[in-house]
């Protein structure tokens, strides 16, 4: 059953179509990924779901109830980790968590218990007495996440939570997401980092220019380019004659050349190795290595949009 349904959302800013009529659903207990480059409309979508801004058209249903018409039910069960750091730098980590806990209506012993619980989850317990302005970028991100967890939300939205942080903090955040999900939390995770979405998400919607262009599990998305294979071949040298002979193979779709390495994209070429060896044998070039690359989400995105994710 869907915990959240997004129905034909549209949002314009003057002449900019930030979100152009998107629909998807988030199932209870999953990590749902919104994958797309900066400017794809992910943050606008998240802001609408979070009831921070109203759509021009469409609706969001939480447990079957319209969030646009009746936001309170979602708001009390929602945690949001914004893309920008939303902390008070002159307060300590503990004071920040206490402040946000008070906003959620937590006080006294319960608030103290929740702060201890959250500080264990985000792995920052020994630095809670330090002012946030003294924290590294990664530590600020962790406190940002902690503030969203204090009231034990049913649905957690994380908007690009690892931007600009060190690898150790990034890995800790990714592991935290998986642990929260294992404990039953439903998570919407937006990112333009392909490897994060592949690592974390149960299902993924790929977003570009305000539209969702494909959705599914990782394996379902890779099926979109089933039959397309990428083969990297390293030669002792690359000549114009060699490239022309490879290009003449009728199922070769694309050739990329970087120095002495040639990457070939083919469509269902069962005879590729035989054909390549035959063509190379007609030149004075030698093959040094051949590597067949498995399809991944990066290739799906490239196939669907004609560009790499971070272009």
């Amino acid at each position: 059953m869907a915990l959240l349904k997004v129905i034909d959302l549209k949002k314009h800013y003057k002449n900019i179509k930030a979100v152009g009529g998107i629909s998807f659903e988030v199932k209870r207990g999953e990590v749902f990924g919104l994958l797309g480059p900066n400017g794809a409309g992910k943050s606008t979508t998240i802001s609408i779901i979070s009831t921070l801004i109203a759509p021009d058209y469409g609706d969001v249903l939480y447990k079957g109830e319209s969030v646009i018409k009746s936001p309170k039910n979602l708001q009390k069960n929602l945690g949001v980790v914004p893309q920008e750091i939303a902390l008070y730098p002159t307060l300590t980590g503990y004071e920040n968590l206490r402040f946000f806990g008070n906003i959620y209506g937590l006080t006294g012993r319960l608030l103290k218990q929740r702060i201890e619980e959250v500080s264990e989850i985000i792995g920052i317990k020994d630095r809670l007495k330090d002012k946030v302005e003294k924290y590294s970028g990664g530590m600020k991100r962790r406190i940002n996440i902690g503030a969203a967890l204090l009231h034990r939300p049913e649905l957690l939205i994380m908007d690009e939570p690892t931007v600009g942080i060190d690898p150790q903090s990034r890995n800790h955040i990714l592991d935290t997401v998986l642990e929260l999900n294992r404990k039953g939390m439903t998570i919407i995770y937006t990112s333009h980092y392909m490897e994060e979405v592949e690592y974390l998400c149960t299902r993924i919607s790929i977003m570009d220019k305000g539209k969702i262009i494909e959705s599914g599990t990782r394996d379902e998305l890779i099926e979109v380019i089933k039959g397309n294979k990428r083969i990297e071949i390293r030669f002792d040298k690359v000549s114009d004659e060699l490239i022309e002979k490879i290009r003449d193979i009728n199922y070769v779709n694309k050739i990329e050349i970087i120095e002495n390495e040639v990457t070939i994209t083919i469509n269902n070429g069962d005879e590729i190795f035989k054909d390549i060896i035959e063509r190379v044998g007609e030149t004075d070039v030698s093959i040094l290595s051949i590597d067949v690359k498995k399809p991944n989400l990066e290739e799906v995105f490239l196939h669907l949009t004609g560009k790499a994710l971070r272009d």
Side-chain angles (χ1 to χ4, degrees):
M1 178 185 172
L3 182 68
L4 190 86
K5 275 190 177 183
V6 172
I7 305 168
D8 199 19
L9 282 189
K10 296 178 183 176
K11 184 68 179 179
H12 296 89
Y13 296 102
K14 294 184 179 180
N15 295 325
I16 299 172
K17 188 186 289 185
V19 179
I22 66 169
S23 299
F24 60 86
E25 63 179 48
V26 180
K27 297 176 182 177
R28 189 185 300 273
E30 74 174 345
V31 182
F32 178 85
L34 265 182
L35 174 67
N38 291 328
K42 302 187 304 297
S43 291
T44 300
T45 302
I46 291 307
S47 295
I48 293 171
I49 294 172
S50 305
T51 73
L52 296 175
I53 61 175
D56 297 328
Y57 185 83
D59 205 348
V60 178
L61 304 182
Y62 173 67
K63 297 181 178 178
E65 182 179 14
S66 171
V67 167
I68 311 302
K69 295 175 183 175
S70 306
K72 293 295 184 186
N73 190 33
L74 173 64
Q75 288 171 346
K76 67 183 181 183
N77 292 298
L78 177 67
V80 179
V81 181
Q83 189 173 142
E84 301 299 326
I85 300 295
L87 301 171
Y88 292 97
T90 57
L91 298 181
T92 66
Y94 188 92
E95 288 167 340
N96 268 277
L97 291 176
R98 186 174 62 194
F99 172 80
F100 287 107
N102 289 155
I103 290 176
Y104 293 129
L106 301 171
T107 57
R109 184 179 296 177
L110 179 59
L111 174 58
K112 185 177 179 181
Q113 176 190 328
R114 293 288 175 82
I115 290 175
E116 289 179 0
E117 179 183 298
V118 161
S119 64
E120 288 285 352
I121 292 170
I122 60 178
I124 206 169
K125 193 171 184 178
D126 59 338
R127 294 292 304 275
L128 282 182
K129 293 182 180 179
D130 294 343
K131 289 185 177 181
V132 165
E133 61 190 3
K134 295 181 179 179
Y135 286 1
S136 67
M139 290 172 66
K140 289 175 184 175
R141 289 279 174 194
R142 293 192 199 189
I143 289 286
N144 223 32
I145 293 169
L149 298 175
L150 287 163
H151 59 309
R152 294 178 180 167
E154 182 176 30
L155 176 63
L156 179 67
I157 295 177
M158 308 184 80
D159 189 9
E160 303 274 6
T162 64
V163 171
I165 63 172
D166 61 279
Q168 183 180 0
S169 289
R170 182 174 181 239
N171 290 337
H172 188 280
I173 287 171
L174 297 182
D175 289 342
T176 299
V177 172
L178 289 179
E179 183 59 28
L180 290 169
N181 180 246
R182 275 193 287 267
K183 291 179 178 178
M185 192 173 291
T186 303
I187 299 168
I188 299 176
Y189 192 94
T190 85
S191 183
H192 64 277
Y193 294 122
M194 190 74 70
E195 62 276 16
E196 289 186 2
V197 172
E198 286 198 274
Y199 179 66
L200 294 174
C201 298
T202 316
R203 288 187 309 117
I204 303 156
S205 281
I206 297 177
M207 200 169 180
D208 190 38
K209 297 178 181 176
K211 293 278 191 179
I212 288 182
I213 53 179
E214 198 67 61
S215 294
T217 65
R218 178 185 176 278
D219 290 343
E220 286 169 349
L221 290 173
I222 287 174
E223 280 290 308
V224 171
I225 56 170
K226 186 178 180 181
N228 284 5
K229 295 178 183 175
R230 288 177 72 245
I231 299 171
E232 292 179 359
I233 309 173
R234 182 171 291 278
F235 299 95
D236 61 343
K237 61 181 178 179
V238 172
S239 64
D240 292 340
E241 180 189 13
L242 171 69
I243 298 305
E244 284 306 312
K245 288 186 178 296
I246 294 174
R247 193 169 275 127
D248 283 342
I249 301 172
N250 59 17
Y251 49 80
V252 170
N253 294 335
K254 186 177 179 182
I255 299 176
E256 300 167 73
I257 308 163
I258 300 177
E259 296 180 348
N260 289 341
E261 186 171 280
V262 177
T263 301
I264 304 168
T265 304
I266 65 170
N267 182 23
N268 288 325
D270 294 332
E271 300 292 317
I272 183 63
F273 296 115
K274 173 177 171 290
D275 290 339
I276 287 289
I277 290 168
E278 282 184 1
R279 298 303 194 282
V280 171
E282 296 168 2
T283 71
D284 62 348
V285 174
S286 298
I287 296 173
L288 301 180
S289 65
I290 298 179
D291 187 14
V292 179
K293 295 293 183 182
K294 292 182 179 179
N296 56 30
L297 287 183
E298 187 77 52
E299 290 174 57
V300 174
F301 191 86
L302 184 62
H303 173 78
L304 292 170
T305 67
K307 62 186 177 185
L309 181 60
R310 298 182 204 174
D311 280 356

